[in-house]
Amino acid sequence: GYVVYGYSNRNLYVFESNQTENATYVFRGEWENASRLTNHDIIKGNLCYKSNVHSKTWKENVKEIFECK
């Protein structure tokens, strides 16, 4: 249930779901393998570069992720 937005110039791949109480996951590099995993596997394995739970501060948190180099 996630859509992947690729920002190859930054080597960032953002997994986003429109379901409430989910999170946005940001990966660097090889995102295809991660797309086959469950949310539990991603969280348990600490596999993503950053995660951002849908909350009131979501927008600010995403902005911070893209400002990092």
Side-chain angles (χ1 to χ4, degrees), residues 1-13:
Y2 281 83
V3 174
V4 178
Y5 297 95
Y7 301 90
S8 56
N9 61 327
R10 293 177 173 255
N11 198 30
L12 293 177
Y13 299 89

Side-chain angles (χ1 to χ4, degrees), residues 4-47:
V4 178
Y5 297 95
Y7 301 90
S8 56
N9 61 327
R10 293 177 173 255
N11 198 30
L12 293 177
Y13 299 89
V14 179
F15 289 39
E16 180 56 61
S17 171
N18 65 358
Q19 298 177 0
T20 58
E21 299 184 14
N22 261 340
T24 301
Y25 298 102
V26 181
F27 293 85
R28 288 194 176 273
E30 299 295 325
W31 62 271
E32 291 91 351
N33 292 333
S35 70
R36 296 180 184 97
L37 301 173
T38 65
N39 291 0
H40 177 55
D41 291 337
I42 291 169
I43 294 166
K44 183 179 173 185
N46 200 24
L47 300 176

